Amino acid sequence: MRILVILPNWLGDAVMATPAIELLAQHYKNVHFTFVGSYVTIEALKHHPQCEKAIIDETKKASSRVLATYHLAKELGQFHLAVSFRDNIYSSILLRLTQTVICCARRSWHSMLLLSHTPTIATDQHLVKQYAQIAMADIDNKNYEIPPLKLYITPEKFNRPTLGINAGATYGSAKRWYPERFAEVAAYFHDKYDIIIFGGPNEVEMAKEIEDNLQKLNVKNYTNLAGKTNIKELCANIGGCSLFITNDSGPMHVAAAYQVPTVAIFGPTRYKETSQWMNEKSKIVRHEMDCSPCMKRECPLKHHECMTTITAPEVIEAVKELGI
């Protein structure tokens, strides 16, 4: 059975869609997936053993996105089932133009006009559950059990217990705790763990701040990988960690996929919807504020108290509570 899956654009969201993909693989026989997504999400999910084809969606770059979507649909052809985890009109158009009969997506004005199955899905539940409901929209029996997150990239094996530090968050600065505080936490545990500093190409400067602060604290057993890994290497290295301390971010969900014990620092986002899914050893550090969750990329009130009030000792204590 050939199934088309339109992946979310963000790494974390794509990882949170993996249980829904596993549900599809379990429910249907002899499944062959075609994934369409951003460069980041394709690089993370193309290793699925039932992935027949993985295509980076570059229609947004075209002078006419509608025309580019038409050409992509003709390239893809028809499927037995098509599922979109995106909410935009171009995804609905893409599914319709493949001439696939059974097409599932979240209910919106355009999906209702163009697609066969458009369930109304409550947004006040974990995003993993929302994605599962989209994927299972054509299934009469709703008594399915949602599995854990799943990535098929082999985790790295380190010689010593390793602490991963992830101070970045692609969505915006409001989600980011502070480099000097990450360094303080890492320094506290440096006798027990080697340290890896993670970060994307746009987070090199932030990672350098952590490195500089570690040096001031006389910590030498660290490696700064910010801007030096591709997506496969990022996932493999996170998967090899013994402990992960992170902001609410894509790498946080990667850690959950590998069941890495994690302390996650949340500020302006809805932690009940995007916390780690089914990670047995996971702690959230957050402060309830009158203004949270604002879901803004930058603090609209300019005080950022949802993050400034979280201290390094609090995070250190949360690590200890993991019992590792």
Side-chain angles (χ1 to χ4, degrees):
M1 180 169 180
R2 297 180 67 241
I3 299 178
L4 171 64
V5 177
I6 311 299
L7 298 172
N9 286 321
W10 301 94
L11 174 60
D13 289 4
V15 177
M16 285 189 282
T18 59
I21 293 169
E22 295 305 312
L23 279 173
L24 291 169
Q26 292 169 14
H27 184 81
Y28 296 103
K29 294 181 180 179
N30 194 28
V31 169
H32 298 277
F33 288 115
T34 293
F35 295 147
V36 174
S38 66
Y39 171 79
V40 170
T41 60
I42 289 295
E43 287 299 303
L45 270 62
K46 70 181 183 181
H47 307 279
H48 194 291
Q50 288 159 278
C51 176
E52 183 177 62
K53 189 179 292 185
I55 298 173
I56 298 171
D57 180 5
E58 298 186 306
T59 58
K60 194 174 182 179
K61 299 177 182 178
S63 55
S64 169
R65 190 169 182 182
V66 172
L67 185 59
T69 299
Y70 170 82
H71 288 305
L72 177 57
K74 296 310 168 188
E75 176 189 343
L76 290 168
Q78 193 172 14
F79 293 82
H80 298 101
L81 171 67
V83 176
S84 176
F85 296 124
R86 297 188 200 165
D87 299 335
N88 70 52
I89 186 172
Y90 297 102
S91 297
S92 294
I93 292 171
L94 177 63
L95 264 58
R96 178 62 180 264
L97 290 176
T98 64
Q99 298 184 339
T100 301
V101 175
I102 303 173
C103 294
C104 306
R106 186 190 302 272
R107 176 155 298 196
S108 64
W109 68 267
H110 48 80
S111 66
M112 289 174 65
L113 285 172
L114 298 170
L115 308 179
S116 63
H117 292 69
T118 58
T120 300
I121 295 171
T123 57
D124 60 346
Q125 58 182 328
H126 201 285
L127 196 53
V128 166
K129 292 182 179 180
Q130 296 180 47
Y131 286 148
Q133 289 167 29
I134 295 170
M136 296 287 102
D138 183 45
I139 308 304
D140 291 331
N141 182 7
K142 304 301 183 184
N143 295 321
Y144 49 81
E145 184 176 340
I146 303 176
L149 309 178
K150 183 68 175 179
L151 290 173
Y152 289 89
I153 297 169
T154 303
E156 188 64 61
K157 292 183 178 180
F158 297 115
N159 294 326
R160 294 190 68 242
T162 301
L163 163 60
I165 294 291
N166 177 60
T170 305
Y171 181 77
S173 62
K175 292 174 69 171
R176 296 175 187 150
W177 201 43
Y178 303 102
E180 65 275 10
R181 299 187 192 182
F182 273 107
E184 186 178 343
V185 175
Y188 185 90
F189 293 104
H190 85 279
D191 287 339
K192 186 176 180 180
Y193 301 98
D194 284 342
I195 299 159
I196 294 180
I197 305 167
F198 291 97
N202 297 323
E203 296 159 351
V204 172
E205 186 176 336
M206 184 184 307
K208 182 64 167 56
E209 283 188 58
I210 296 175
E211 183 175 358
D212 291 344
N213 278 278
L214 287 174
Q215 289 176 354
K216 290 176 184 176
L217 295 167
N218 296 316
V219 175
K220 298 179 181 179
N221 59 325
Y222 68 83
T223 302
N224 186 351
L225 293 182
K228 299 176 183 176
T229 58
N230 58 33
I231 298 300
K232 182 179 180 181
E233 292 166 341
L234 173 72
C235 294
N237 280 297
I238 291 174
C241 288
S242 310
L243 172 65
F244 200 61
I245 301 175
T246 178
N247 293 321
D248 173 21
S249 61
M252 179 190 74
H253 297 291
V254 172
Y258 291 102
Q259 293 291 295
V260 177
T262 299
V263 171
I265 301 156
F266 274 74
T269 48
R270 299 187 183 101
Y271 70 99
K272 292 181 180 179
E273 296 169 29
T274 60
S275 59
Q276 288 193 319
W277 177 257
M278 293 178 68
N279 188 353
E280 291 184 5
K281 289 190 177 293
S282 176
K283 295 284 291 185
I284 290 174
V285 178
R286 64 178 294 274
H287 288 176
E288 186 66 37
M289 312 293 293
D290 290 338
C291 54
S292 66
C294 71
M295 299 301 294
K296 302 295 184 182
R297 292 177 183 267
E298 298 179 5
C299 177
L301 302 178
K302 308 302 181 185
H303 57 58
H304 206 207
E305 288 182 359
C306 62
M307 285 299 199
T308 59
T309 57
I310 295 174
T311 66
E314 280 183 85
V315 175
I316 291 168
E317 185 59 32
V319 172
K320 293 178 180 178
E321 289 173 3
L322 289 174
I324 57 175

